[in-house]
Amino acid sequence: MLPQHLKQIRVLLLNDKEDLDRTLFRLDQGFELQFRLGPSLQGQKVTVHSNYPAEGQRFERNAFRVLEWNNPTGKKDDSDKFCCLDLKRAGSFQFYFGHGDTKRSGGGYIVVDPVLRVGADDHILPLDCITIQTYLSKCLGHLDDWPDRLRVAMESGYTMIHFTPLQTLGESRSCYSLADQLTFNPEFSPEGRSYNWGDVGVLLDKLKKEWNILCITDVVYNHTAANSLWIQEHPECGYNLVNSPHLRPAWVLDRAIWHLTTRMADGRYASKGLPADITNDGHLNAIRSVLWQDVYPQIRLWEFFQVNVDNTVEQFRNLLKNGTKPDPKKSGGKPGLRIIQDPSYRRYGNKVDMDSALETFVPHSSSPEHIEECCGWLRQKLNEMNGEQYHIVHQHQEQAANCIVGNVVYERLADHGPKLGPVSRKNPLVTRYFTFPYKEMTLEQEMKLLDEPDKMCHFLAHNGWVMGDDPLRNFAEPGSNVYIRRELICWGDSVKLRYGNGPEDCPYLWAYMQKYTEITAKYFHGVRLDNCHSTPLHVAEAMLDAARAVRPNLYVIAELFTGSELIDNVFVNRLGITSLIREAMSAGDSHEEGRLVYRYGGEPVGAFVQPSLRPLVPSIAHAMFLDVTHDNECPIQLRSAFDSLPSSAIVSMACCATGSTRGYDELVPHQISVVKEERKYPKWNSSAPPSSTGEASSQTGIVAGKLAVNRLHQELAAQGFIQVYVDQVDADIVAVTRHCPSTHQSVVAVSRTAFRDPKTHQYSNNVPPMFIPGKIEEVVLEARTVERHAGSYKKDNHYINGMPEYTVEIKEHIQLQESSVVKQAGVTSKGRSEFVQEIIFEKLTPGSVIAFRVSLDPKAQQLVGVLRYYLTQFSPKYRRGSVTDTNTPPALQKPLAQLMSKLTLADLNVLLFRCDSEEQEDGGGCYNFPGWESLKYAGLQGLMSVLADVRPNNDLGHPLCANLRQGDWLIDYVSKRLIHKEGPLAQVGQWLTAMFDYLKHIPRYLIPSYFDAILVGIYTTALDAAYKLMSSFIQNGSSFVRLLALGSVQMCGVGRFPALPPVSSAIDDVPYRLSPISGQKEQCCVSLAAGLPHFSSGIFRCWGRDTFIALRGLMLLTGRHTEARNIILAFAGTLRHGLIPNLLGEGRCARYNCRDAVWWWLQCIQDYATHVPQGHEILRCPVTRMYPTDDSEPCKPGEVEQPLYEVIQEALQRHLEGISFRERNAGPKIDMNMRDEGFNVVAKVDPATGFVTGGNRFNCGTWMDKMGESERARNKGMPATPRDGSAVEIVGLSKSTVRWVVELHKKGLFPYDGVKVHRNGKEVSVSYTQWNDQIKQSFEAHFWVSGDPKDPNEKNPDLVHKTGIYKDSYGASSAWCDYQLRPNFTIAMVVEWLWPVGYFLRAKLWFAKKLGEETYAKTVTLVKNVLSKHYTHLERSPWKGLPELTNENGQYCPFSCETQAWSLATVLEVLYDL
């Protein structure tokens, strides 16, 4: 087992209704794949199914098992819940998921790559190390000679050989037309020997163990040779006229065209201007006229699709006479004539559905005249419909004529065609579409065979391909008109195989092909799926399953011509294709060839280091990039002989599998035909002269150059050179860089292509110089294609020989000064430790290649090694390429985690967060990128939020990366803002400075990657340190819980100016500092910002209501008890008029204009007392009063002190007595929009109900405090929701407090049992028990809206518009206001204010528990689902927070704070309750 941090884990987020069948996910064995729930599925009961087998079970494609969910935190939220697959076997595997009654609401595939092993020691051959060479097997001669012929592959540096099929070939001798799929071709055995598959196995084993070469071969599932004996015995295995009668019309046309061929060959059309030898357009027009005048009228194809009108009308007449009525079950009771296609496709065989005829043509009566009239209508309609069929067939015939003529043009007239010459029986006008295994007869005689099933079953459809056809459709099945329209480009030597839907449809064929597959998989390490895009998917799927049962790590390659990456993915996914063949020959110029290298593999140079646990991202299929395939035309003919070396060097620099075809390296100047070539390949002889045709050596063609580039390709892949950069130096020169991200070595290969022949095309002598960053260690190779005197090319009769007149001049592993290609190399410095070598070329002639091995400058190499050494404390992936530091700077002598452990959560607020206005208090600000934007935070989170998007996409062009490459400004900003701080924070700043000192001295293109690595290290260490300082609820919590808890670090900090008034000096654990302004000792208690960025600094940072709604979630649940206590006591000191200020304004600028803050404060004291161990002791803590009386000036700290319980008593006493005052400084100075009456504050307890009541319609004393501001809308000074009277939540909070005080008094923890107040001139005692009971008795009567018209408590039945709710308030000045249901999210879940959602969900859970298990389970599901949107927002938000409010349906609201304390706190409380 790998340790968890080294194990590669990929996470796939499942989203409802997301089908990923056409998305490719590639994974390696040893990876773990985790399925997690996306927001649309959180809270649902989701089941994930996969056919990846359980440990020890065999794979069965249709056997799905349910994956088990893991919940690492054991908690009820779904943010970390996952189920996983431990990937230990290769192949294609499917998954799907469903929830509730939906069995499948999404799914997809994963493809796990095989592990290939070679050599006697069975070492791994990475897929990107593969260099493959294709051999046409029939050109290898006897098996005894194979080692000598195959040795060319080994001596040229190939690691894999691809053999075309080794089975017995059909009579066409095409490599892909097999007569017998089960036997080893007897022609490979010399006389007197009979080699078999076992002998092949011995040879392949030798190649694997001694030569380190693996072997693959083709599997051909789509067709068999037309002369295969088994297909004659089992004609049901092909498409014949018995099992596929829809092909009968096409067969008739095919026979007619064959008879046209024989008549042309016999000269019978010469008089009509159509000779056997077709040479011009006049002959082509003659073909068309013969088709239309002679062929089509004779065979009358339309009759196969028509109805016999007379017979049908007669049948209809008899039905009418007998009074037959239509069967409504069959006709559906709807008129409309239905024609039934004759399943046997006979002439005039189509039938009319008589029920539809009777429904459509209804006589007025049963009289003979009316019946005849009705039959006349039917006859007319049938003639019309037959006419339509005639028209459709006419269109088919037009297309057939076009396709026939098009074929003739290619085969007989086109320059690039085979020029077949005169029409003859051997070379017919066009290839036949069907086999005809009988002697010649006339067309009329052949037509009679259509009635003889024992003959018809032997007319088998040939295979071929259809230009632009849908590859997922079988063109021979019913519904396709390919054969009648002659659209098939036909292989006349092969019969298309008919598998049906499964083994039950053609048992012999399935069993036969499975046996063929198993033989192949037993001996070969992999297969190439021939004609893959036309092979029925379910067939290839089943066969590959059988192959993998024999050889689990089967390497599967294919060439797809679908024209669509999405459709390619369907094949790759379903079949588990490892590599798709890609052709360099598809490039029209060197620029395009370079682009293909970039496309088919590797990451950009300087790419970011990705975490081991990361999202699973779609990929493109692994490429097998070939300089030429055995199907391509000859590159020497299309380009030039000089291009062979540079183009194969460009291909070899690709970060994927590469390869070629035998003959390319030997400069064979023509395509080696898979059908016609019968000569043998030359054998290897190291001392063979260049002129030898039967032997090859390193002198032959570009063999020596190919060996060098193949070796280089393997070395780069094996040593982790996974980064790629392609530079188009000029129109013909391509430079490809491969870079190793751990050692920072590079290899730069410069190739000068020769797409046009240098003998006929004038290439420029001015080769632009190249600038290569770093130090050139050596020239790995330099090779030039040159002419030599070894005779000129003459095609040999016995051997596939190449052009002896060209060879390669090659030098390997030389110093720069020994190079004959480079004239000089100058070194220029591009900044500290960044050297650039300017290369001026002398002999980079067309057809040349030079490859440089480049290191960083020695100093930079040393420093990057040291940097990696220090990064190993975060991850072992930095070990490779690391260098121990001999002279460790003092700042780096302790591991970062040790320095971090000394930080407080207030320090971590500075390190991680602080928005622009917080930072400006200290004279700084958030970093701004010119031309882009500023970071959200000055701390690490600001950068991490940007890098979270940049890193996974390797977006090196991002403004942040550009800034880092251009200068050290950002690097200095990050460290310098910490260096100037006090204590442990400065030490972290020094650690960063020391790390950045190394960073600044490495090449600029590497800086973004290493800057990110340092930041990831320090950020994750900081998060760990933060969680360690929090409660066990957070430490053991889910990702969601921890993200919310970070809100506590984000919101709670200490600014340059103390935001809280001082607490009593008699209290323990109060932090002090020297004031940065006065230098005097002062308290530096943490304060809680209401929201960022608007309420974060200065007098607008702290608000009573916001602080105490958020305090339980952000401070008590996170374990920040001391800091919570200090905040409670600091606010207690500001009590005035019996109220806690809304805007704290450091106490001196406080506004006492809200009725609810004091009750939230009292609730927090209760929460503190119950949640914190010995929490009730807070009641005795001394409070230093700022305003001992309503009108006193602010007192000095410590001047007036009293215990907290006295302050609580005063708040309750003042409410029972009644509070009424006018705000100080009332007027536009403190509120520009408020009307004069709004500055009058009233709060009291209604003696009739016990409810706290107050306010007026011009002020808003509760949390819904939006004041109208518009003169135009006439709402200036008018609150949107005044909520005067008794607001429902204040009644609830006061009830909670009074009940608690009663309990405290009983326990002897609170000295008062009530208060004495003056009412109507008398002193009256009000006990808390009495007050508590009064609220309890009054609440239902005054707040519940029953909807009962006789309800005696309902004073305003006319205002009721919703029933079964609690009113928003009671006793409002405008009675209608009481009947609102607020906030409205509780009905529609439209989130406007976020924080009430928390209370709503907590209430739902609380009541659901009382209603039983089932209700509770459903409620938990709802809660998870609602919260999943919050989790998604939190994860994706650059602020790492939840906003204050949103627009309808949770849409972004631009006026809101981006992250609000109470939003985070109340959601965290829900998770705590869960």
Side-chain angles (χ1 to χ4, degrees):
M1 264 296 277
L2 278 167
Q4 209 51 28
H5 55 266
L6 270 183
K7 184 162 188 166
Q8 289 293 334
I9 300 173
R10 297 293 175 270
V11 177
L12 183 59
L13 218 52
L14 303 177
N15 296 307
D16 202 17
K17 300 187 176 60
E18 184 173 50
D19 220 331
L20 299 168
D21 284 356
R22 294 189 170 198
T23 305
L24 172 60
F25 295 117
R26 279 182 57 214
L27 293 140
D28 287 342
Q29 290 180 56
F31 278 34
E32 179 182 305
L33 173 61
Q34 294 186 356
F35 298 99
R36 296 190 180 213
L37 298 178
S40 55
L41 291 171
Q42 288 193 14
Q44 307 279 7
K45 194 168 189 283
V46 179
T47 315
V48 182
H49 304 254
S50 175
N51 61 1
Y52 186 91
E55 187 91 31
Q57 300 295 305
R58 50 190 287 271
F59 171 69
E60 282 179 54
R61 184 159 296 281
N62 298 318
F64 284 82
R65 63 189 175 102
V66 173
L67 304 184
E68 225 175 287
W69 286 107
N70 298 307
N71 216 329
T73 54
K75 296 292 183 285
K76 278 278 175 61
D77 79 83
D78 285 355
S79 58
D80 286 335
K81 181 167 133 178
F82 69 91
C83 53
C84 67
L85 294 174
D86 211 356
L87 303 173
K88 294 178 180 169
R89 62 165 78 201
S92 141
F93 305 100
Q94 204 177 348
F95 66 88
Y96 69 88
F97 58 89
H99 56 86
D101 300 331
T102 317
K103 192 159 184 269
R104 185 190 162 114
S105 54
Y109 289 84
I110 57 165
V111 176
V112 183
D113 286 336
V115 174
L116 305 179
R117 294 180 179 274
V118 288
D121 59 348
D122 246 10
H123 62 271
I124 289 177
L125 174 69
L127 298 183
D128 290 345
C129 279
I130 292 172
T131 48
I132 194 169
Q133 191 175 38
T134 294
Y135 281 76
L136 306 189
S137 303
K138 64 178 179 178
C139 300
L140 282 167
H142 294 147
L143 188 63
D144 306 338
D145 293 332
W146 287 20
D148 289 341
R149 294 204 159 95
L150 297 175
R151 191 173 190 97
V152 175
M154 196 260 283
E155 298 286 355
S156 309
Y158 291 97
T159 56
M160 189 176 273
I161 291 174
H162 161 228
F163 294 92
T164 60
L166 306 184
Q167 283 79 1
T168 310
L169 300 181
E171 59 191 357
S172 70
R173 301 285 299 150
S174 161
C175 293
Y176 288 95
S177 179
L178 309 183
D180 181 350
Q181 283 72 5
L182 305 183
T183 58
F184 181 53
N185 193 339
E187 69 187 62
F188 296 139
S189 302
E191 218 169 309
R193 291 298 306 263
S194 177
Y195 287 126
N196 59 26
W197 290 114
D199 300 308
V200 177
V202 170
L203 174 66
L204 301 190
D205 202 45
K206 170 189 161 81
L207 267 53
K208 177 191 165 184
K209 287 186 174 150
E210 295 175 21
W211 291 7
N212 291 342
I213 286 181
L214 297 182
C215 298
I216 71 168
T217 187
D218 292 274
V219 280
V220 186
Y221 293 127
N222 226 347
H223 51 254
T224 189
N227 65 319
S228 298
L229 289 174
W230 63 270
I231 195 90
Q232 290 160 29
E233 291 164 19
H234 291 277
E236 79 278 5
C237 297
Y239 289 87
N240 62 47
L241 302 194
V242 176
N243 64 22
S244 305
H246 64 284
L247 295 174
R248 284 162 60 107
W251 179 83
V252 170
L253 175 59
D254 192 52
R255 295 314 300 156
I257 295 167
W258 169 253
H259 286 280
L260 172 59
T261 287
T262 58
R263 292 202 288 272
M264 281 176 70
D266 297 344
R268 285 199 271 161
Y269 275 114
S271 59
K272 289 200 174 185
L274 185 53
D277 196 7
I278 295 165
T279 55
N280 58 46
D281 285 355
H283 296 155
L284 298 176
N285 290 333
I287 294 173
R288 285 183 192 275
S289 44
V290 167
L291 286 171
W292 284 106
Q293 287 163 23
D294 294 10
V295 177
Y296 293 162
Q298 184 187 7
I299 56 178
R300 305 185 310 284
L301 292 182
W302 52 86
E303 292 176 355
F304 289 99
F305 303 93
Q306 289 182 333
V307 172
N308 185 318
V309 177
D310 291 346
N311 292 356
T312 306
V313 171
E314 183 56 35
Q315 187 189 350
F316 183 66
R317 183 181 289 117
N318 292 333
L319 289 172
L320 290 181
K321 282 179 180 171
N322 297 334
T324 311
K325 292 280 178 276
D327 179 347
K329 279 195 196 120
K330 291 183 185 165
S331 67
K334 289 178 187 157
L337 196 60
R338 280 207 352 265
I339 302 289
I340 300 162
Q341 173 63 51
D342 173 23
S344 301
Y345 283 80
R346 292 163 302 198
R347 292 183 188 272
Y348 295 120
N350 285 6
K351 295 274 181 284
V352 168
D353 172 18
M354 282 300 167
D355 285 299
S356 74
L358 293 167
E359 193 78 64
T360 309
F361 301 104
V362 184
H364 296 310
S365 74
S366 54
S367 69
E369 309 84 78
H370 282 153
I371 286 177
E372 277 315 307
E373 181 189 27
C374 206
C375 289
W377 297 336
L378 176 63
R379 181 180 295 278
Q380 188 184 343
K381 182 66 179 168
L382 289 175
N383 285 329
E384 241 177 69
M385 291 174 97
N386 274 354
E388 283 169 21
Q389 289 301 333
Y390 178 87
H391 180 65
I392 290 169
V393 172
H394 186 85
Q395 288 175 323
H396 291 339
Q397 291 177 158
E398 275 182 345
Q399 176 66 350
N402 292 338
C403 290
I404 289 166
V405 170
N407 238 303
V408 172
V409 169
Y410 170 69
E411 291 186 341
R412 291 187 154 79
L413 302 181
D415 289 336
H416 63 286
K419 299 260 175 98
L420 292 181
V423 171
S424 65
R425 284 167 175 77
K426 183 171 183 288
N427 287 323
L429 179 68
V430 285
T431 306
R432 292 198 288 190
Y433 272 19
F434 294 87
T435 60
F436 188 80
Y438 303 108
K439 63 178 192 333
E440 279 205 17
M441 49 181 95
T442 66
L443 185 59
E444 291 69 25
Q445 289 169 321
E446 286 174 9
M447 291 306 112
K448 289 178 184 155
L449 300 177
L450 282 174
D451 300 323
E452 300 181 38
D454 58 326
K455 300 274 199 308
M456 278 174 15
C457 68
H458 291 291
F459 302 144
L460 297 161
H462 288 310
N463 196 21
W465 64 283
V466 182
M467 189 93 75
D469 194 36
D470 175 2
L472 299 175
R473 173 188 89 134
N474 186 334
F475 56 73
E477 292 287 343
S480 161
N481 294 308
V482 161
Y483 282 86
I484 194 171
R485 290 165 68 86
R486 304 291 297 186
E487 291 169 334
L488 184 71
I489 295 157
C490 183
W491 303 321
D493 59 349
S494 301
V495 166
K496 187 168 180 66
L497 295 174
R498 180 178 180 272
Y499 289 87
N501 293 325
E504 62 286 352
D505 289 346
C506 195
Y508 180 85
L509 179 60
W510 282 81
Y512 184 83
M513 286 301 184
Q514 182 169 333
K515 196 169 178 194
Y516 159 50
T517 303
E518 287 165 351
I519 291 171
T520 305
K522 182 176 177 184
Y523 297 106
F524 287 90
H525 305 100
V527 293
R528 174 184 176 273
L529 293 171
D530 179 55
N531 199 223
C532 179
H533 56 282
S534 302
T535 304
L537 269 168
H538 65 291
V539 174
E541 212 168 38
M543 295 304 157
L544 287 174
D545 289 350
R548 288 191 178 103
V550 175
R551 185 179 291 275
N553 278 301
L554 185 77
Y555 182 55
V556 181
I557 65 170
E559 196 162 8
L560 291 172
F561 298 100
T562 68
S564 149
E565 195 173 296
L566 285 179
I567 296 178
D568 280 1
N569 286 350
V570 173
F571 284 88
V572 175
N573 275 339
R574 290 204 33 197
L575 307 181
I577 296 171
T578 321
S579 307
L580 281 186
I581 294 167
R582 308 292 193 180
E583 307 173 354
M585 289 302 294
S586 66
D589 55 33
S590 67
H591 183 79
E592 177 63 13
E593 199 159 72
R595 200 189 67 78
L596 294 177
V597 171
Y598 184 73
R599 172 150 179 72
Y600 293 139
E603 49 183 44
V605 173
F608 291 93
V609 177
Q610 303 297 339
S612 306
L613 186 153
R614 59 179 184 268
L616 179 64
V617 291
S619 50
I620 65 165
H622 183 254
M624 171 168 276
F625 191 28
L626 303 182
D627 48 32
V628 68
T629 73
H630 60 295
D631 294 325
N632 287 144
E633 291 176 65
C634 172
I636 292 176
Q637 290 172 338
L638 290 179
R639 298 178 183 175
S640 76
F642 283 90
D643 189 62
S644 302
L645 176 67
S647 274
S648 64
I650 290 171
V651 167
S652 293
M653 289 299 286
C655 192
C656 59
T658 60
S660 190
T661 293
R662 177 79 197 262
Y664 178 95
D665 302 344
E666 290 137 286
L667 301 180
V668 174
H670 58 82
Q671 185 185 13
I672 303 172
S673 165
V674 294
V675 180
K676 299 199 173 112
E677 186 60 78
E678 294 292 343
R679 296 172 301 156
K680 302 291 175 267
Y681 290 120
K683 295 178 177 180
W684 179 262
N685 175 359
S686 53
S687 50
S691 55
S692 168
T693 55
E695 293 182 320
S697 71
S698 55
Q699 305 273 301
T700 309
I702 63 162
V703 167
K706 193 50 138 314
L707 171 64
V709 297
N710 276 347
R711 274 193 193 141
L712 181 59
H713 176 260
Q714 289 149 38
E715 178 202 322
L716 295 176
Q719 294 184 6
F721 283 71
I722 55 172
Q723 298 185 341
V724 180
Y725 172 67
V726 179
D727 182 15
Q728 188 73 34
V729 180
D730 73 5
D732 304 298
I733 299 172
V734 178
V736 183
T737 301
R738 289 276 297 274
H739 182 82
C740 172
S742 44
T743 62
H744 295 297
Q745 276 215 340
S746 301
V747 169
V748 183
V750 185
S751 305
R752 190 171 191 192
T753 58
F755 275 57
R756 285 165 292 188
D757 190 343
K759 289 180 178 168
T760 55
H761 174 75
Q762 185 57 51
Y763 281 90
S764 162
N765 290 330
N766 290 340
V767 177
M770 267 198 76
F771 297 91
I772 294 181
K775 174 174 181 270
I776 294 176
E777 300 282 357
E778 65 162 353
V779 174
V780 182
L781 69 100
E782 63 177 34
R784 294 171 59 235
T785 312
V786 292
E787 291 189 71
R788 67 170 163 202
H789 302 294
S792 57
Y793 172 76
K794 184 167 170 287
K795 189 170 182 176
D796 190 83
N797 291 332
H798 304 290
Y799 297 103
I800 303 169
N801 61 321
M803 301 170 77
E805 53 264 56
Y806 300 102
T807 187
V808 170
E809 247 181 28
I810 184 164
K811 294 182 190 170
E812 293 185 78
H813 305 296
I814 57 170
Q815 287 307 300
L816 200 53
Q817 53 273 24
E818 299 168 59
S819 165
S820 46
V821 173
V822 174
K823 186 174 176 184
Q824 69 175 79
V827 178
T828 59
S829 175
K830 191 181 153 190
R832 52 181 173 218
S833 313
E834 193 161 1
F835 292 91
V836 173
Q837 292 198 267
E838 183 184 6
I839 303 290
I840 294 170
F841 294 106
E842 184 168 36
K843 275 198 195 164
L844 193 69
T845 49
S848 311
V849 180
I850 182 165
F852 305 99
R853 187 181 305 280
V854 186
S855 299
L856 303 184
D857 164 80
K859 178 148 186 258
Q861 189 77 46
Q862 166 72 17
L863 293 173
V864 82
V866 170
L867 189 53
R868 291 181 74 83
Y869 167 73
Y870 289 117
L871 286 170
T872 54
Q873 64 185 294
F874 308 122
S875 167
K877 60 182 119 180
Y878 295 104
R879 275 200 196 115
R880 186 168 176 228
S882 68
V883 177
T884 313
D885 196 354
T886 47
N887 188 14
T888 306
L892 299 180
Q893 283 170 359
K894 288 180 185 161
L896 179 65
Q898 198 177 329
L899 301 178
M900 285 281 187
S901 66
K902 297 186 180 138
L903 299 182
T904 62
L905 286 169
D907 292 332
L908 285 160
N909 164 266
V910 176
L911 176 64
L912 290 169
F913 295 105
R914 298 190 89 192
C915 67
D916 198 48
S917 47
E918 290 176 278
E919 198 73 359
Q920 280 178 9
E921 271 194 2
D922 272 351
C926 289
Y927 191 86
N928 173 269
F929 294 91
W932 187 52
E933 56 182 60
S934 294
L935 295 173
K936 305 295 185 224
Y937 293 111
L940 299 177
Q941 186 62 59
L943 282 162
M944 292 308 287
S945 291
V946 178
L947 287 165
D949 291 332
V950 172
R951 186 188 312 111
N953 303 314
N954 273 322
D955 182 4
L956 293 166
H958 190 278
L960 182 145
C961 300
N963 180 287
L964 286 166
R965 284 192 296 271
Q966 286 158 8
D968 295 338
W969 313 290
L970 179 58
I971 298 172
D972 289 339
Y973 169 84
V974 173
S975 55
K976 280 182 178 159
R977 69 177 284 273
L978 298 174
I979 286 275
H980 303 313
K981 303 286 176 202
E982 306 271 302
L985 260 183
Q987 288 187 311
V988 173
Q990 286 153 6
W991 183 91
L992 267 173
T993 307
M995 289 293 276
F996 287 161
D997 278 346
Y998 296 117
L999 181 70
K1000 289 174 184 177
H1001 289 85
I1002 68 173
R1004 299 304 312 186
Y1005 68 90
L1006 293 175
I1007 284 181
S1009 159
Y1010 280 102
F1011 177 76
D1012 176 60
I1014 294 168
L1015 250 59
V1016 167
I1018 189 169
Y1019 178 74
T1020 49
T1021 311
L1023 292 191
D1024 288 346
Y1027 298 135
K1028 277 186 184 141
L1029 295 171
M1030 293 190 188
S1031 63
S1032 61
F1033 164 58
I1034 307 300
Q1035 289 181 27
N1036 306 327
S1038 64
S1039 302
F1040 191 7
V1041 165
R1042 287 170 156 223
L1043 272 175
L1044 289 163
L1046 270 190
S1048 170
V1049 183
Q1050 192 184 89
M1051 296 293 172
C1052 303
V1054 181
R1056 184 173 170 81
F1057 308 100
L1060 296 176
V1063 297
S1064 167
S1065 56
I1067 292 175
D1068 298 333
D1069 301 328
V1070 175
Y1072 285 85
R1073 67 176 180 192
L1074 292 178
S1075 162
I1077 298 146
S1078 66
Q1080 301 293 308
K1081 183 179 170 186
E1082 67 177 8
Q1083 288 183 11
C1084 54
C1085 290
V1086 159
S1087 65
L1088 207 158
L1092 312 182
H1094 308 316
F1095 306 118
S1096 57
S1097 61
I1099 62 165
F1100 292 107
R1101 178 175 171 86
C1102 294
W1103 299 71
R1105 175 189 301 128
D1106 296 69
T1107 296
F1108 294 111
I1109 290 177
L1111 190 105
R1112 179 174 183 262
L1114 290 190
M1115 304 201 79
L1116 296 181
L1117 298 186
T1118 57
R1120 305 184 72 170
H1121 301 155
T1122 305
E1123 292 151 310
R1125 177 203 66 187
N1126 295 344
I1127 290 173
I1128 290 170
L1129 296 175
F1131 269 90
T1134 62
L1135 188 87
R1136 194 176 201 178
H1137 306 291
L1139 297 175
I1140 287 290
N1142 182 20
L1143 175 64
L1144 177 63
E1146 295 161 15
R1148 293 165 188 283
C1149 310
R1151 277 192 76 185
Y1152 294 85
N1153 61 337
C1154 73
R1155 306 194 304 280
D1156 60 350
V1158 66
W1159 298 104
W1160 289 109
W1161 170 72
L1162 286 163
Q1163 182 61 43
C1164 273
I1165 301 172
Q1166 183 184 159
D1167 290 338
Y1168 182 92
T1170 49
H1171 187 86
V1172 177
Q1174 303 304 117
H1176 56 82
E1177 289 176 1
I1178 193 173
L1179 298 169
R1180 295 205 303 277
C1181 283
V1183 173
T1184 181
R1185 293 292 296 269
M1186 200 174 225
Y1187 304 108
T1189 64
D1190 289 352
D1191 299 318
S1192 61
E1193 287 302 310
C1195 292
K1196 288 196 175 75
E1199 208 174 310
V1200 178
E1201 295 205 341
Q1202 60 186 145
L1204 180 60
Y1205 63 77
E1206 294 285 4
V1207 185
I1208 295 171
Q1209 177 68 2
E1210 183 179 326
L1212 299 176
Q1213 168 111 24
R1214 295 299 300 271
H1215 275 81
L1216 283 161
E1217 275 182 351
I1219 298 164
S1220 176
F1221 64 95
R1222 184 168 172 80
E1223 279 198 79
R1224 283 164 190 73
N1225 305 318
K1229 216 161 65 178
I1230 63 167
D1231 195 321
M1232 294 169 62
N1233 297 306
M1234 182 91 81
R1235 295 195 184 188
D1236 188 64
E1237 302 94 317
F1239 292 106
N1240 299 330
V1241 179
V1242 173
K1244 59 186 180 189
V1245 175
D1246 179 348
T1249 58
F1251 298 163
V1252 175
T1253 185
N1256 64 47
R1257 66 196 182 90
F1258 298 107
N1259 60 26
C1260 24
T1262 74
W1263 67 275
M1264 292 188 217
D1265 56 1
K1266 180 77 187 97
M1267 177 62 81
E1269 298 172 4
S1270 167
E1271 298 278 15
R1272 242 178 97 188
R1274 298 188 181 164
N1275 67 9
K1276 191 172 166 87
M1278 297 302 289
T1281 41
R1283 304 183 80 224
D1284 56 336
S1286 300
V1288 66
E1289 78 278 12
I1290 297 182
V1291 174
L1293 287 163
S1294 59
K1295 167 77 172 71
S1296 170
T1297 298
V1298 176
R1299 183 192 59 213
W1300 176 58
V1301 168
V1302 170
E1303 287 167 7
L1304 285 177
H1305 181 70
K1306 280 182 192 160
K1307 291 177 185 166
L1309 297 171
F1310 191 75
Y1312 305 102
D1313 63 352
V1315 298
K1316 288 190 167 59
V1317 293
H1318 291 89
R1319 281 187 187 157
N1320 307 326
K1322 291 184 196 152
E1323 189 176 72
V1324 189
S1325 284
V1326 180
S1327 81
Y1328 290 139
T1329 307
Q1330 185 188 336
W1331 186 9
N1332 183 40
D1333 293 343
Q1334 190 183 17
I1335 300 175
K1336 189 175 177 179
Q1337 280 152 18
S1338 310
F1339 188 75
E1340 289 291 320
H1342 294 94
F1343 274 94
W1344 180 246
V1345 182
S1346 66
D1348 177 359
K1350 298 193 180 73
D1351 186 345
N1353 295 314
E1354 191 49 77
K1355 301 288 181 277
N1356 301 298
D1358 51 320
L1359 293 176
V1360 173
H1361 58 96
K1362 267 195 181 72
T1363 60
I1365 63 166
Y1366 287 102
K1367 294 173 189 166
D1368 182 46
S1369 55
Y1370 169 71
S1373 52
S1374 302
W1376 63 269
C1377 290
D1378 285 348
Y1379 291 85
Q1380 305 301 302
L1381 173 68
R1382 285 210 195 86
N1384 62 356
F1385 79 88
T1386 46
I1387 307 155
M1389 292 318 287
V1390 173
V1391 178
E1392 285 171 350
W1393 291 84
L1394 238 85
W1395 73 269
V1397 176
Y1399 280 97
F1400 170 68
L1401 295 177
R1402 289 180 69 197
K1404 251 188 117 48
L1405 286 167
W1406 195 86
F1407 284 106
K1409 257 194 184 139
K1410 301 207 169 300
L1411 294 171
E1413 275 302 307
E1414 196 183 334
T1415 309
Y1416 183 66
K1418 280 186 182 158
T1419 307
V1420 167
T1421 296
L1422 168 91
V1423 170
K1424 286 179 178 181
N1425 203 255
V1426 171
L1427 291 185
S1428 67
K1429 323 253 185 323
H1430 298 71
Y1431 178 53
T1432 306
H1433 181 91
L1434 197 52
E1435 259 196 327
R1436 294 178 187 168
S1437 154
W1439 290 87
K1440 282 287 172 275
L1442 294 173
E1444 173 186 19
L1445 36 105
T1446 68
N1447 286 341
E1448 198 178 0
N1449 293 328
Q1451 296 301 304
Y1452 174 69
C1453 171
F1455 309 110
S1456 158
C1457 270
E1458 298 281 0
T1459 174
Q1460 190 84 356
W1462 63 17
S1463 301
L1464 291 159
T1466 55
V1467 172
L1468 188 55
E1469 288 185 79
V1470 180
L1471 294 177
Y1472 184 76
D1473 289 3
L1474 268 175

